[in-house]
Amino acid sequence: LGSKMAPPAADNVVVSSNKLERLLSMKGGKGEASYANNCQAQAQHARSMLHLLEETLDGVQLDSPPAAVPFVVADLGCSSGTNTIFIVEVIINHMIKRYEAMGFDPPEFSAFFSDLPSNDFNTLFQLLPPLAKDGGSMEECLASDGHRRSYFAAAVPGSFYGRLFPVGSVDVFYSAFSLHWCSQVPDAVLDKRSTAYNKGKIFIHGANESTANAYRVQFQSDLARFIRSRSLEMKGGGSMFLGLITSEKRDDFNIPVYAPSLQEFKEVVEADGSFAINKLELFRGGSPLVVSCPDDAAEVGRALANSCRAVSGVLVDAHIGDRLSEELFSRVASRATSHAKELLEQLQFTHIVASLSFA
């Protein structure tokens, strides 16, 4: 990005692990660089995987007749845009149809939107349509275009690498575009005496093998904790649908992100032994850049800069301050503008899609 921008004071610009959980979030609010206004690519890719999600939902075991308790759905890593609301409604509507096909009135539904405490839950809940069983105000009705939700909603702040729910309380877990985020920067990356230490970097890009190994170990430890927690929280007969970014290149990860291979994911799940893997495959979802005019290089540049800022801007601001962060993302936009055509052709989302149920 050029050599004129003054570097931060620290040799290695990273967030300490004990602060990461309180700091990390997608960029909140509804501004130009907010996640809410830059999650169209994730929305498109989530929609392209709906048939796989519905296959998972068809495997959920239903009580016959329905139990007198709510059917519970949890989105882990919900962030603050409309994508999570759309997915929760897809899940619940699918389950309603299954109950009706069995000749039963569906039970009540509860949806838990979970993310780290720093997530902008205020923006998320402002986007929720009013509850169908509650009359709601005229303002709410107009704001939602008459659309009502058929579920009770609640936020669950906390890391999904630990316990979030009571034992045996959740029917369906959903998590997409989240599990590639590690719970912390690996200790070795913070150690100046370690070969994994990356001096003078804001993000770890083009890292050496020692750094890659440190992140792989961190990912494996984190995923094992995730699986162990969900094995306690999921109801018997429930299912879990996961979608996480993968990469064929080891240099395509940033602090604190690790893009695992299919084999790495499979090894962790099998080592735990709680879950059977019903489906595990690579899913190519297309470009992460959504633009109205692909021939407009400036729009492509802005789209990439806003997308990067929506996802990592909070961390970058914490690392180098608002002024340098503004300059950094301005340079990202400028550089992306000059390489717009190749970015549109080469940038691709590749996901691991996994459907799990109790072994």
Side-chain angles (χ1 to χ4, degrees):
L1 292 174
S3 59
K4 293 184 179 180
M5 185 162 55
D11 285 62
N12 191 18
V13 185
V14 291
V15 176
S16 61
S17 58
N18 62 334
K19 293 182 180 179
L20 187 59
E21 183 175 327
R22 292 286 172 183
L23 174 66
L24 180 60
S25 69
M26 302 299 100
K27 195 168 184 66
K30 299 178 182 178
E32 181 184 358
S34 67
Y35 184 81
N37 282 326
N38 290 279
C39 58
Q40 299 94 333
Q42 289 89 337
Q44 288 184 5
H45 303 151
R47 283 171 167 79
S48 69
M49 294 188 288
L50 287 183
H51 64 290
L52 300 174
L53 171 60
E54 289 171 348
E55 287 179 14
T56 298
L57 298 176
D58 285 337
V60 176
Q61 297 177 21
L62 302 183
D63 293 327
S64 179
V69 294
F71 186 99
V72 177
V73 177
D75 183 1
L76 307 181
C78 63
S79 194
S80 55
T82 57
N83 290 351
T84 182
I85 298 171
F86 171 78
I87 287 295
V88 162
E89 292 186 350
V90 165
I91 293 171
I92 290 174
N93 289 337
H94 190 86
M95 301 315 297
I96 288 174
K97 290 177 183 177
R98 283 195 60 198
Y99 279 110
E100 290 176 342
M102 295 169 61
F104 296 117
D105 290 331
E108 291 188 319
F109 290 89
S110 290
F112 291 106
F113 298 91
S114 181
D115 213 312
L116 294 175
S118 49
N119 184 58
D120 185 3
F121 287 106
N122 286 337
T123 292
L124 172 59
F125 282 96
Q126 288 170 9
L127 296 170
L128 274 179
L131 185 64
K133 294 183 179 181
D134 183 0
S137 68
M138 179 63 71
E139 291 80 3
E140 288 177 322
C141 191
L142 291 173
S144 63
D145 296 324
H147 178 61
R148 302 300 181 102
R149 59 184 160 92
S150 56
Y151 57 91
F152 296 94
V156 180
S159 170
F160 53 41
Y161 292 125
R163 290 288 305 279
L164 292 167
F165 303 96
V167 170
S169 62
V170 178
D171 293 279
V172 173
F173 281 110
Y174 176 91
S175 184
F177 312 110
S178 298
L179 276 168
H180 53 280
W181 286 95
C182 296
S183 66
Q184 67 175 64
V185 178
D187 291 337
V189 174
L190 300 173
D191 186 354
K192 293 183 179 180
R193 300 164 298 179
S194 170
T195 56
Y197 182 73
N198 264 14
K199 182 177 181 180
K201 290 185 180 292
I202 296 173
F203 294 117
I204 297 180
H205 181 77
N208 61 37
E209 191 61 28
S210 295
T211 308
N213 287 337
Y215 268 83
R216 179 165 53 250
V217 170
Q218 184 65 54
F219 168 79
Q220 291 169 335
S221 172
D222 286 342
L223 182 60
R225 290 163 54 204
F226 177 92
I227 294 295
R228 195 176 310 121
S229 296
R230 304 297 84 79
S231 71
L232 295 172
E233 297 166 347
M234 198 167 80
K235 292 181 184 178
S239 288
M240 181 158 56
F241 183 87
L242 307 176
L244 59 156
I245 293 173
T246 185
S247 176
E248 298 170 357
K249 296 181 180 180
R250 269 294 162 249
D251 60 1
D252 281 347
F253 59 86
N254 298 324
I255 288 179
V257 168
Y258 182 77
S261 67
L262 278 174
Q263 185 61 29
E264 288 168 341
F265 181 89
K266 182 179 179 182
E267 287 174 356
V268 176
V269 176
E270 291 181 342
D272 178 86
S274 301
F275 291 95
I277 299 176
N278 302 317
K279 183 180 289 292
L280 182 63
E281 63 182 63
L282 285 180
F283 189 87
R284 302 189 184 279
S287 174
L289 296 178
V290 177
V291 292
S292 58
C293 185
D295 293 330
D296 185 343
E299 183 186 356
V300 173
R302 287 193 303 272
L304 179 65
N306 285 337
S307 177
C308 291
R309 193 162 200 175
V311 172
S312 60
V314 172
L315 284 179
V316 174
D317 291 351
H319 290 330
I320 62 178
D322 293 346
R323 183 180 62 82
L324 285 178
S325 178
E326 192 70 36
E327 184 175 351
L328 172 67
F329 287 109
S330 175
R331 293 189 184 193
V332 169
S334 176
R335 247 182 141 171
T337 298
S338 63
H339 296 85
K341 184 177 179 181
E342 59 193 274
L343 284 172
L344 285 175
E345 293 173 350
Q346 296 176 11
L347 281 181
Q348 296 290 316
F349 261 146
T350 304
H351 312 205
I352 289 175
V353 176
S355 174
L356 309 178
S357 59
F358 279 129

